[in-house]
């Protein structure tokens, strides 16, 4: 583990709940793994679990895994990057959130890693096998916690890196092109093959103010409106949308489709959801407009 973990000396905590030092250890361990992942360096999660075990209070490997998933949930809640392999579990103790915030604010290099990741230019994906990209959409998560309800200035985390990643121009364009080609492929291999030539990349042709990105066709020839949201992170990563996109999706719910691309840089996968955005996902307001 890193020098911070090595420098900690402590005897096993005598209580059953996760104590302060245990949380410091596991959060530091998580961020060390995430640093390697963001840099594209190999590591094995099992080795980190085993190195933590003797330092903790009679924890099982399963308990450590669950806590790592809790840390992913904290980071997602705070708009920060997370380890893709640790799916978020939102039922965590408040002390864990406090420790994650403390670690981020006391470790400046984390922000540099996050910034490099979200700003990285994405190169086109070559030799795509579209027959293998579609996966099942995630089930509704009833345990998603609300956004942090804290007093102004308490959380000294200034940047939402999940939102900034989505705003990466090369990532967004590559994702839209991916779906544009995927829709044409889908139509060509079906009985509606002649409709493939009518697929349009409208956000590129007319701008992104229409409320959707790709105009495709349903098998009966009717319009199919597709909004593309792309991330290099995992399937459960939140996405961000505008008021205009929300309104358009509600007004055209029967023909509106969200195409969510994830793990885009490595092994791009895609799931789809049909209907207005308020019906197919949980929504949390994150900004307001003021008038005078």
């Amino acid at each position: 583990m890193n020098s911070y973990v090595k420098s900690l000396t402590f005897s096993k905590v005598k209580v059953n709940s996760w104590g302060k030092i245990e949380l410091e250890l596991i959060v530091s361990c998580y961020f060390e793994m995430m640093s390697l992942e963001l840099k594209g360096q190999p590591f094995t999660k099992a080795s980190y679990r085993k190195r933590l075990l003797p330092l903790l209070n009679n924890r099982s490997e399963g308990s450590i895994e669950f806590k790592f998933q809790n840390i992913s949930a904290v980071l997602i809640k705070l708009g920060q990057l997370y380890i893709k392999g640790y799916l978020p579990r939102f039922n965590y103790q408040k002390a864990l959130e406090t420790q994650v915030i403390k670690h981020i604010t006391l470790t400046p290099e984390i922000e540099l890693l996050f910034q490099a990741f979200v700003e990285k230019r994405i190169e086109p994906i070559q030799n795509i096998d579209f027959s293998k990209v579609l996966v099942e959409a995630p089930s509704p998560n009833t345990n998603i916690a609300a956004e942090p309800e804290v007093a102004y200035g308490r959380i000294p985390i200034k940047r939402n890196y999940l939102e900034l990643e989505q705003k990466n121009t090369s990532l967004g364009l590559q994702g839209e092109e991916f779906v544009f080609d995927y829709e044409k492929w889908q139509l060509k291999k079906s009985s509606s093959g002649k409709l493939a030539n009518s697929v349009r990349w409208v956000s590129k042709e007319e701008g992104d103010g229409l409320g959707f990105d790709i105009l495709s066709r349903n098998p009966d020839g009717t319009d199919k409106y597709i909004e593309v949201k792309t991330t290099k992170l995992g399937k459960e990563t939140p996405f961000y949308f505008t008021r205009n996109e929300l309104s358009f999706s509600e007004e055209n719910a029967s023909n509106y489709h969200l195409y969510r691309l994830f793990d885009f840089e490595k092994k791009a996968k895609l799931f789809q959801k049909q209907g207005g955005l308020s019906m197919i996902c949980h929504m949390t307001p994150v900004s307001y407009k003021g008038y005078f």
Side-chain angles (χ1 to χ4, degrees):
M1 295 182 189
N2 62 22
S3 57
Y4 171 78
V5 176
K6 289 178 180 177
S7 67
L8 286 173
T9 59
F10 98 111
S11 57
K12 291 182 181 178
V13 181
K14 302 302 182 182
V15 294
N16 188 46
S17 62
W18 284 76
K20 181 177 181 294
I21 299 179
E22 285 187 302
L23 293 179
E24 289 177 358
L25 285 164
I26 198 163
V27 168
S28 182
C29 180
Y30 183 101
F31 274 93
E32 185 176 346
M33 288 190 289
M34 183 162 60
S35 175
L36 293 173
E37 181 170 277
L38 294 178
K39 293 176 182 177
Q41 298 177 9
F43 68 94
T44 60
K45 296 172 184 173
S47 66
Y48 281 86
R49 289 196 305 270
K50 293 183 185 302
R51 291 161 74 180
L52 270 178
L53 276 173
L55 301 175
L56 303 177
N57 182 34
N58 297 319
R59 305 296 177 187
S60 66
E61 290 197 38
S63 175
I64 293 172
E65 284 288 285
F66 193 91
K67 192 62 68 173
F68 281 146
Q69 291 178 288
N70 286 157
I71 296 171
S72 287
V74 172
L75 289 166
I76 287 174
K77 182 179 175 183
L78 297 173
Q80 307 300 292
L81 308 184
Y82 67 100
I83 296 175
K84 290 184 290 186
Y86 286 124
L87 304 183
R89 291 182 179 269
F90 287 88
N91 50 335
Y92 53 78
Q93 64 191 113
K94 184 67 176 178
L96 179 63
E97 182 177 298
T98 301
Q99 182 58 43
V100 169
I101 293 169
K102 177 181 178 182
H103 189 91
I104 292 173
T105 56
L106 293 178
T107 316
E109 57 266 30
I110 290 175
E111 185 164 5
L112 296 177
L113 280 172
F114 283 6
Q115 185 171 342
F117 180 86
V118 302
E119 294 179 353
K120 181 181 177 182
R121 180 174 178 79
I122 306 301
E123 299 300 326
I125 298 177
Q126 304 294 330
N127 304 317
I128 304 169
D129 184 352
F130 285 127
S131 67
K132 297 181 179 179
V133 302
L134 187 64
V135 299
E136 186 176 351
S139 301
N141 189 341
T142 58
N143 293 318
I144 292 179
E147 293 293 325
E149 297 180 2
V150 295
Y152 174 77
R154 178 177 169 188
I155 297 182
I157 297 176
K158 299 178 181 179
R159 308 188 76 189
N160 183 327
Y161 284 99
L162 296 182
E163 185 174 11
L164 289 172
E165 190 224 11
Q166 185 175 294
K167 291 179 179 179
N168 180 312
T169 301
S170 65
L171 177 64
L173 289 175
Q174 293 297 333
E176 290 177 16
E177 184 175 14
F178 185 102
V179 171
F180 176 70
D181 292 338
Y182 176 82
E183 280 298 293
K184 292 169 67 174
W185 171 82
Q186 278 277 74
L187 288 169
K188 285 178 180 177
K189 74 182 185 68
S190 71
S191 58
S192 308
K194 62 183 180 180
L195 295 175
N197 291 330
S198 64
V199 179
R200 293 176 54 210
W201 186 352
V202 294
S203 64
K204 183 178 181 181
E205 296 172 7
E206 303 179 35
D208 59 4
L210 297 175
F212 67 103
D213 299 311
I214 307 294
L215 176 61
S216 186
R217 294 289 184 266
N218 294 306
D220 62 1
T222 56
D223 288 342
K224 179 179 181 181
Y225 306 112
I226 301 173
E227 176 64 28
V228 183
K229 299 295 184 183
T230 308
T231 181
K232 294 178 286 181
L233 298 169
K235 189 177 185 179
E236 290 76 15
T237 305
F239 65 98
Y240 298 82
F241 50 90
T242 65
R243 178 178 170 181
N244 182 48
E245 290 167 346
L246 173 61
S247 297
F248 185 87
S249 75
E250 304 293 295
E251 293 166 4
N252 300 275
S254 61
N255 289 317
Y256 183 90
H257 299 256
L258 173 69
Y259 278 35
R260 181 54 161 159
L261 284 165
F262 62 95
D263 203 9
F264 191 70
E265 193 175 24
K266 301 296 183 180
K267 297 179 181 178
K269 296 293 182 183
L270 162 72
F271 69 80
Q272 307 170 5
K273 286 202 169 188
Q274 179 180 356
L277 288 168
S278 65
M279 297 181 287
I280 63 176
C281 67
H282 298 279
M283 296 195 308
T284 301
V286 294
S287 64
Y288 299 90
K289 177 188 283 187
Y291 290 91
F292 296 99

